[in-house]
Amino acid sequence: MYRILIVDDERIEREGIRNLIRKLQLELEPITAENGEAALEIVRRERVDIVITDIKMPFMDGLELSEKIREEKPDVEIIIYSAFNEFEYARRAMRTNVSNYLLKPIQVTEFVAAIRRATEACLEKEADKIRELQLLEGYRRGVAYEREKMLLDAINGSKPIKPFELSLPEGDAPERESIHLLLADFPRPFFDMHNDEFLAMLGERIRLPFDYLNLNEKQSLLFVRCPAPLPKEELRSLAESIRSAAVERYGQQASVIVGDAADGWERVHDAYCGVERLLEYKFFMNEQPILFAGEPFAEHAVDEVELQSIEHKIYQCLDYGDMRGAKYGVELLFSFLKTKGQFSSLYTKFLCSEIMTKAVAKEQKNSLNVINDYLDKITRSPSLHDLKDLMFELFDRLESEAGSKGKGEAPNKIVEQIKQLVEKHYDQDLSLEGIAEQVYLTPSYVSYLFKKETGQSLIRYITQVRMDKAVALLRDTNMKIVDICQKLGYRNSNYFIQSFRQHYGVTPAKFREQQTP
């Protein structure tokens, strides 16, 4: 319903027009003002769609009021009425672009016609605004999609991009810039429900220019741009800010992986590969850490209570013949022992002897001689560095022997079991914890093992399976998009649409339209 402001210094005239609107049951909300000055204050303070005003009034006449409204609120429709049928008034009124000029006494038919033209003009202006907003939104989404695609190309190494192709104006883009990659990694689905809020939070907390790319429900990537590489402490502060905001606003812990600085966008792929490699080390962390590429363990302060957990995870890797995983665990163990410094060399050698004995006993039937040989070497190791090299030598030997005997099938069987679970339950809210429970492993090891064996994260694999199912449903059924979203296990239809477009370059609706012959 439109609001019409009736302006006249005569109360009887104001009430007469108000009563006429009610009698004719016009869909208008009438409000009144006794002179031009009062009317102008109302127009400035409140929403007014149509003004009908007398010309001759004290303080500010109707023509002056019309001119001021036209300057300040050009969308307001104006109708002027007057008892003075003089050409000069009419000519001046037309110069102010008033909708209509009525003569007193106002005739009902002329009044209704004037109101109809004014409301039609209001409708047309509303339609113009909607079209303009739709065009702007389409443009914004198009720009956002193009930027997203460019960032994906950059991390995949498929197409180099330049700064001005992102969010920097071309004239402001430096010839070279450093790009720091910060990966926010949540243990449970997060970005499907909070992606826009999270991005807004980053805008509040990060003062440097950055670009943003959501990878999946649990991971998003920041590209922080600066003229030169940032000091480590500044990067740590950024990472801590992201983690603290996740806890304060959402009550969720997150890891932050900080990649090496990329010297230009053509190096972003290499930096991202480093971030992905570093994710594997997270298996050995009980907390949600901040990790830096190049220094995965020394930068992480490990609590003494984690020592037993590290040992347990090394043993878990050994149980499944995963020597690479065992090496990661030993790397963390030695970094922990080195940084703490309070453990005796005798205790350190005892730990290594326990690990060695378990590894050899599992892989070799006649293991006593090998165990004794390595026990002797461990005892005689002069330094922590030599001891670590000895453990790595042992794992390399066992891995080589396992390969020559055709062993190492257990991890592949586990991965196949995980794939079957995803294929069967893709339509449910799949969680890492639920899958781990099904295969009798810890969630962190499931994540680590799947990535090591397949080369892609479990989250990415689940997303790909769902996207494949989405394509089949769009192509072979008439299901609504929102129903497909629910069938695939997504909690948010907008996020599903965004993920689909990221994979296939078009929205689900557009994809279905393209499949129609």
Side-chain angles (χ1 to χ4, degrees):
M1 181 178 290
Y2 294 118
R3 299 188 84 199
I4 183 169
L5 175 60
I6 305 164
V7 189
D8 200 304
D9 59 331
E10 296 288 342
R11 182 175 179 275
I12 191 170
E13 295 287 354
R14 298 196 300 269
E15 292 302 322
I17 294 175
R18 192 210 294 262
N19 292 333
L20 184 58
I21 290 172
R22 289 173 181 168
K23 183 178 179 180
L24 296 173
Q25 297 184 339
L26 300 177
E27 292 188 1
L28 296 170
E29 178 190 348
I31 55 177
T32 62
E34 66 275 12
N35 58 59
E37 287 184 350
L40 187 59
E41 287 302 313
I42 292 174
V43 170
R44 287 169 174 168
R45 187 177 65 247
E46 304 176 24
R47 178 182 67 83
V48 173
D49 302 298
I50 303 169
V51 171
I52 181 167
T53 179
D54 189 13
I55 285 182
K56 210 163 186 182
M57 296 181 295
F59 307 114
M60 180 186 294
D61 66 27
L63 294 180
E64 185 180 354
L65 171 64
S66 301
E67 290 167 352
K68 289 187 178 296
I69 290 175
R70 188 60 63 205
E71 291 173 2
E72 299 184 24
K73 302 284 185 176
D75 287 341
V76 174
E77 291 296 310
I78 302 172
I79 301 171
I80 284 182
Y81 63 92
S82 173
F84 299 89
N85 186 14
E86 297 179 4
F87 176 73
E88 185 57 35
Y89 277 118
R91 187 171 62 178
R92 188 177 168 195
M94 292 303 107
R95 283 204 300 266
T96 63
N97 293 320
V98 299
S99 301
N100 274 283
Y101 183 88
L102 301 177
L103 293 176
K104 290 182 181 179
I106 294 175
Q107 302 298 312
V108 173
T109 54
E110 293 180 0
F111 177 77
V112 171
I115 293 295
R116 185 182 67 248
R117 284 192 290 269
T119 53
E120 287 175 354
C122 289
L123 282 169
E124 183 60 32
K125 287 175 182 177
E126 282 185 357
D128 288 342
K129 285 182 179 179
I130 291 171
R131 285 192 291 268
E132 184 179 345
L133 287 173
Q134 288 174 338
L135 286 171
L136 288 173
E137 179 63 14
Y139 175 76
R140 186 190 66 78
R141 290 189 177 186
V143 169
Y145 172 68
E146 285 302 316
R147 184 171 69 240
E148 181 180 274
K149 187 174 183 303
M150 290 172 185
L151 293 171
L152 281 169
D153 288 340
I155 64 174
N156 293 325
S158 56
K159 180 184 176 184
I161 57 177
K162 298 177 181 179
F164 65 81
E165 290 180 307
L166 293 162
S167 48
L168 282 179
E170 183 173 355
D172 297 337
E175 293 184 5
R176 301 292 296 178
E177 62 181 345
S178 293
I179 302 100
H180 287 282
L181 271 59
L182 281 77
L183 178 74
D185 181 61
F186 285 78
R188 294 179 181 82
F190 173 82
F191 291 104
D192 55 342
M193 302 301 291
H194 303 295
N195 190 55
D196 292 343
E197 299 169 31
F198 186 79
L199 177 56
M201 177 274 294
L202 293 177
E204 295 171 5
R205 296 202 171 209
I206 299 179
R207 299 307 175 196
L208 293 166
F210 70 91
D211 285 284
Y212 173 87
L213 178 66
N214 173 246
L215 301 176
N216 49 62
E217 293 99 316
K218 299 181 182 180
Q219 297 172 333
S220 283
L221 193 61
L222 279 72
F223 303 76
V224 179
R225 306 189 309 269
C226 42
L230 296 173
K232 185 161 291 184
E233 285 311 308
E234 189 169 348
L235 289 169
R236 186 185 299 281
S237 177
L238 280 175
E240 287 287 2
S241 177
I242 293 169
R243 293 187 70 222
S244 63
V247 173
E248 292 167 10
R249 298 197 183 191
Y250 310 105
Q252 295 202 36
Q253 294 282 350
S255 302
V256 178
I257 313 297
V258 183
D260 289 327
D263 181 24
W265 287 96
E266 66 275 12
R267 301 289 184 188
V268 163
H269 172 65
D270 295 335
Y272 181 66
C273 289
V275 168
E276 283 202 314
R277 284 193 298 270
L278 200 52
L279 275 173
E280 297 178 14
Y281 288 98
K282 277 187 60 204
F283 161 58
F284 298 97
M285 309 291 186
N286 275 350
E287 301 294 326
Q288 296 297 323
I290 293 174
L291 295 179
F292 285 82
E295 299 180 42
F297 297 127
E299 292 295 322
H300 178 57
V302 185
D303 266 348
E304 294 180 22
V305 294
E306 291 194 43
L307 181 59
Q308 186 176 358
S309 174
I310 296 170
E311 289 181 84
H312 173 72
K313 289 176 178 178
I314 294 173
Y315 292 150
Q316 192 175 31
C317 290
L318 293 174
D319 283 340
Y320 289 95
D322 181 8
M323 296 305 163
R324 182 183 172 194
K327 278 186 178 181
Y328 285 158
V330 167
E331 181 75 54
L332 177 58
L333 177 65
F334 274 74
S335 291
F336 171 60
L337 297 173
K338 182 179 178 180
T339 54
K340 292 303 176 184
Q342 70 265 39
F343 295 99
S344 67
S345 60
L346 183 63
Y347 180 70
T348 303
K349 291 177 181 180
F350 166 75
L351 290 176
C352 290
S353 298
E354 290 284 299
I355 295 169
M356 180 274 298
T357 301
K358 184 174 181 64
V360 173
K362 177 174 175 56
E363 296 298 328
Q364 297 187 355
K365 291 183 179 179
N366 301 317
S367 57
L368 187 58
N369 289 337
V370 177
I371 289 173
N372 287 333
D373 179 46
Y374 271 96
L375 281 174
D376 181 59
K377 290 180 179 179
I378 288 171
T379 303
R380 291 188 287 106
S381 292
S383 68
L384 202 63
H385 176 76
D386 291 332
L387 187 56
K388 184 175 75 172
D389 286 347
L390 180 63
M391 296 300 291
F392 278 16
E393 174 193 313
L394 169 64
F395 291 147
D396 287 340
R397 173 180 171 179
L398 294 175
E399 188 172 30
S400 176
E401 291 175 357
S404 65
K405 293 176 183 178
K407 291 184 179 180
E409 296 180 358
N412 287 330
K413 288 182 178 179
I414 295 169
V415 168
E416 285 305 311
Q417 189 179 355
I418 292 170
K419 287 183 176 180
Q420 290 172 13
L421 284 169
V422 173
E423 184 68 28
K424 185 177 180 181
H425 302 293
Y426 69 87
D427 58 342
Q428 300 175 18
D429 186 9
L430 287 172
S431 69
L432 185 58
E433 291 78 7
I435 292 173
E437 187 177 346
Q438 292 286 329
V439 296
Y440 306 103
L441 295 173
T442 63
S444 55
Y445 189 69
V446 165
S447 178
Y448 158 77
L449 184 64
F450 194 90
K451 176 67 177 353
K452 187 180 80 71
E453 293 295 319
T454 66
Q456 68 178 140
S457 69
L458 180 55
I459 303 169
R460 187 177 296 180
Y461 177 76
I462 293 171
T463 300
Q464 187 58 58
V465 169
R466 285 173 167 166
M467 290 298 107
D468 292 342
K469 301 295 182 183
V471 165
L473 291 170
L474 288 166
R475 187 180 54 229
D476 302 332
T477 75
N478 293 320
M479 288 180 65
K480 295 179 180 179
I481 304 298
V482 67
D483 293 333
I484 291 175
C485 167
Q486 294 174 355
K487 186 172 180 59
L488 296 175
Y490 282 95
R491 301 184 297 173
N492 185 315
S493 58
N494 288 334
Y495 189 83
F496 162 64
I497 293 169
Q498 174 187 327
S499 298
F500 189 93
R501 188 178 65 174
Q502 192 176 86
H503 271 73
Y504 298 109
V506 293
T507 63
K510 187 68 174 178
F511 179 87
R512 172 174 276 168
E513 181 183 318
Q514 292 173 349
Q515 304 305 305
T516 305

